[in-house]
Amino acid sequence: MQDPLIIGGVTLSSRLFIGTGKYSRNTLIPEVIARSGSQVITVALRRVDPQSNDNIISHIPEHMTLLPNTSGARTAEEAVRIARLARAAGLGNWVKIEVINDQKYLLPDNMETIRATEILAAEGFVVLPYMSPDLSAALRLKAAGAAAVMPLGAPIGSNRGLKTRELVRILIAEVDLPVIVDAGIGRPSEAAEAMEMGAAAVLLNTAIATARDPLGMAEAFREAVSAGRRAYLAGLGPVEEGASASSPLTGFLG
């Protein structure tokens, strides 16, 4: 079944986006990519070091779509500067906006994120903003030129799951953009749930990188995202308050 996801003119067959952090060694990244089937990978620009013998970019196959992120930015201006540096460094024109001031929960600053999105979209970037799941903010991000919105499921790196599911559900219903659930997803079942709800994709890193077997977990997430998407397209059955017999309650023997 052809079911592509198109973002910024790029056609993707995989709806699992992955990250590059927290692996015990960078040499794991190519095999994680292969086992996950992912075609989009995010990397913090501050981790890119062309002078290093172990530059993280050298571990990412050329067929991948790079999604540099602005990790470390505290204002829109800092995010814009990081995005411009990433493009100048040859990392393409996709960017994941991360603007974070809260150092305890690492929650995104939606207002600064909207400002950065407006500037970078006007400069031709394909902007995917990481955000707290707020409908008004999501609509403003769309108006600012975002190519998708990326609401968090739970605090980043927490593996706590889809704690914001009702707010994410509202975004999926009301925002005419791909909704990519980012951050907090810790189990394949949670990724499947997000996809069953109608999310366009899921981005995760910690759940794979900190698993006992990252390669096996990459495969598990690949299958979960695919299963969740197929369930969404097939249409879930209605939820009933009471019991509903699978067979007619007539014609009992005797």
Side-chain angles (χ1 to χ4, degrees), residues 4 13 30 159 175 181 193 207 211 222 225 231-232:
S13 57
N159 282 349
V175 181
V181 178
E193 180 185 0
R222 177 183 191 161
V225 168
Y232 170 74

mmCIF file of all heavy atoms in Angstrom, residues 4 13 30 159 175 181 193 207 211 222 225 231-232:
data_model
loop_
_atom_site.group_PDB
_atom_site.id
_atom_site.type_symbol
_atom_site.label_atom_id
_atom_site.label_comp_id
_atom_site.label_asym_id
_atom_site.label_seq_id
_atom_site.Cartn_x
_atom_site.Cartn_y
_atom_site.Cartn_z
ATOM 1 N N PRO A 4 2.566 7.491 1.410
ATOM 2 C CA PRO A 4 3.737 8.330 1.687
ATOM 3 C C PRO A 4 3.403 9.498 2.601
ATOM 4 O O PRO A 4 2.271 9.972 2.662
ATOM 5 C CB PRO A 4 4.128 8.821 0.290
ATOM 6 C CG PRO A 4 2.841 8.847 -0.468
ATOM 7 C CD PRO A 4 2.038 7.674 0.049
ATOM 8 N N SER A 13 8.664 7.130 3.063
ATOM 9 C CA SER A 13 7.879 5.918 3.253
ATOM 10 C C SER A 13 7.887 5.475 4.714
ATOM 11 O O SER A 13 7.016 4.716 5.139
ATOM 12 C CB SER A 13 8.403 4.788 2.359
ATOM 13 O OG SER A 13 9.772 4.545 2.620
ATOM 14 N N PRO A 30 24.612 3.794 12.144
ATOM 15 C CA PRO A 30 24.213 3.265 10.826
ATOM 16 C C PRO A 30 23.324 2.024 10.919
ATOM 17 O O PRO A 30 22.372 1.883 10.145
ATOM 18 C CB PRO A 30 25.551 2.945 10.153
ATOM 19 C CG PRO A 30 26.540 3.822 10.838
ATOM 20 C CD PRO A 30 26.079 3.922 12.260
ATOM 21 N N ASN A 159 11.071 8.925 28.702
ATOM 22 C CA ASN A 159 10.479 7.603 28.418
ATOM 23 C C ASN A 159 9.155 7.397 29.161
ATOM 24 O O ASN A 159 8.774 6.261 29.457
ATOM 25 C CB ASN A 159 11.443 6.464 28.784
ATOM 26 C CG ASN A 159 12.524 6.257 27.744
ATOM 27 O OD1 ASN A 159 12.460 6.809 26.650
ATOM 28 N ND2 ASN A 159 13.523 5.452 28.077
ATOM 29 N N VAL A 175 -5.477 20.871 13.334
ATOM 30 C CA VAL A 175 -4.376 21.548 12.633
ATOM 31 C C VAL A 175 -4.108 20.842 11.311
ATOM 32 O O VAL A 175 -3.827 19.649 11.280
ATOM 33 C CB VAL A 175 -3.094 21.557 13.497
ATOM 34 C CG1 VAL A 175 -1.970 22.288 12.765
ATOM 35 C CG2 VAL A 175 -3.373 22.217 14.841
ATOM 36 N N VAL A 181 4.641 13.359 16.783
ATOM 37 C CA VAL A 181 4.807 13.309 18.233
ATOM 38 C C VAL A 181 6.292 13.143 18.558
ATOM 39 O O VAL A 181 6.951 12.218 18.077
ATOM 40 C CB VAL A 181 3.983 12.165 18.850
ATOM 41 C CG1 VAL A 181 4.224 12.100 20.351
ATOM 42 C CG2 VAL A 181 2.501 12.376 18.565
ATOM 43 N N GLU A 193 0.238 3.734 19.672
ATOM 44 C CA GLU A 193 -0.947 4.489 20.090
ATOM 45 C C GLU A 193 -0.991 5.858 19.420
ATOM 46 O O GLU A 193 -2.053 6.302 18.948
ATOM 47 C CB GLU A 193 -0.967 4.664 21.611
ATOM 48 C CG GLU A 193 -2.188 5.442 22.085
ATOM 49 C CD GLU A 193 -2.183 5.729 23.589
ATOM 50 O OE1 GLU A 193 -1.229 5.320 24.257
ATOM 51 O OE2 GLU A 193 -3.128 6.381 24.053
ATOM 52 N N ALA A 207 14.488 6.154 23.828
ATOM 53 C CA ALA A 207 13.932 4.806 23.992
ATOM 54 C C ALA A 207 14.770 3.761 23.268
ATOM 55 O O ALA A 207 14.894 2.618 23.732
ATOM 56 C CB ALA A 207 12.487 4.778 23.493
ATOM 57 N N ALA A 211 18.040 1.427 25.367
ATOM 58 C CA ALA A 211 17.561 0.047 25.499
ATOM 59 C C ALA A 211 18.751 -0.902 25.693
ATOM 60 O O ALA A 211 19.870 -0.605 25.276
ATOM 61 C CB ALA A 211 16.768 -0.352 24.255
ATOM 62 N N ARG A 222 10.037 0.186 14.620
ATOM 63 C CA ARG A 222 9.670 0.185 13.194
ATOM 64 C C ARG A 222 8.337 -0.542 12.995
ATOM 65 O O ARG A 222 7.436 -0.035 12.304
ATOM 66 C CB ARG A 222 10.780 -0.521 12.394
ATOM 67 C CG ARG A 222 10.500 -0.668 10.910
ATOM 68 C CD ARG A 222 11.624 -1.437 10.236
ATOM 69 N NE ARG A 222 11.549 -1.405 8.784
ATOM 70 C CZ ARG A 222 12.554 -1.675 7.976
ATOM 71 N NH1 ARG A 222 13.717 -2.026 8.495
ATOM 72 N NH2 ARG A 222 12.410 -1.613 6.673
ATOM 73 N N VAL A 225 5.279 1.447 14.742
ATOM 74 C CA VAL A 225 4.821 2.624 13.992
ATOM 75 C C VAL A 225 4.039 2.186 12.761
ATOM 76 O O VAL A 225 2.988 2.750 12.431
ATOM 77 C CB VAL A 225 6.021 3.520 13.612
ATOM 78 C CG1 VAL A 225 5.623 4.582 12.601
ATOM 79 C CG2 VAL A 225 6.590 4.178 14.874
ATOM 80 N N ALA A 231 -3.485 0.539 11.507
ATOM 81 C CA ALA A 231 -4.720 0.540 12.298
ATOM 82 C C ALA A 231 -5.487 1.843 12.097
ATOM 83 O O ALA A 231 -6.723 1.842 11.977
ATOM 84 C CB ALA A 231 -4.384 0.342 13.785
ATOM 85 N N TYR A 232 -4.769 2.957 12.061
ATOM 86 C CA TYR A 232 -5.433 4.249 11.839
ATOM 87 C C TYR A 232 -6.136 4.271 10.481
ATOM 88 O O TYR A 232 -7.298 4.700 10.372
ATOM 89 C CB TYR A 232 -4.405 5.372 11.920
ATOM 90 C CG TYR A 232 -4.949 6.705 11.465
ATOM 91 C CD1 TYR A 232 -5.837 7.425 12.263
ATOM 92 C CD2 TYR A 232 -4.584 7.241 10.224
ATOM 93 C CE1 TYR A 232 -6.353 8.637 11.843
ATOM 94 C CE2 TYR A 232 -5.088 8.455 9.794
ATOM 95 C CZ TYR A 232 -5.981 9.148 10.609
ATOM 96 O OH TYR A 232 -6.495 10.353 10.182
#
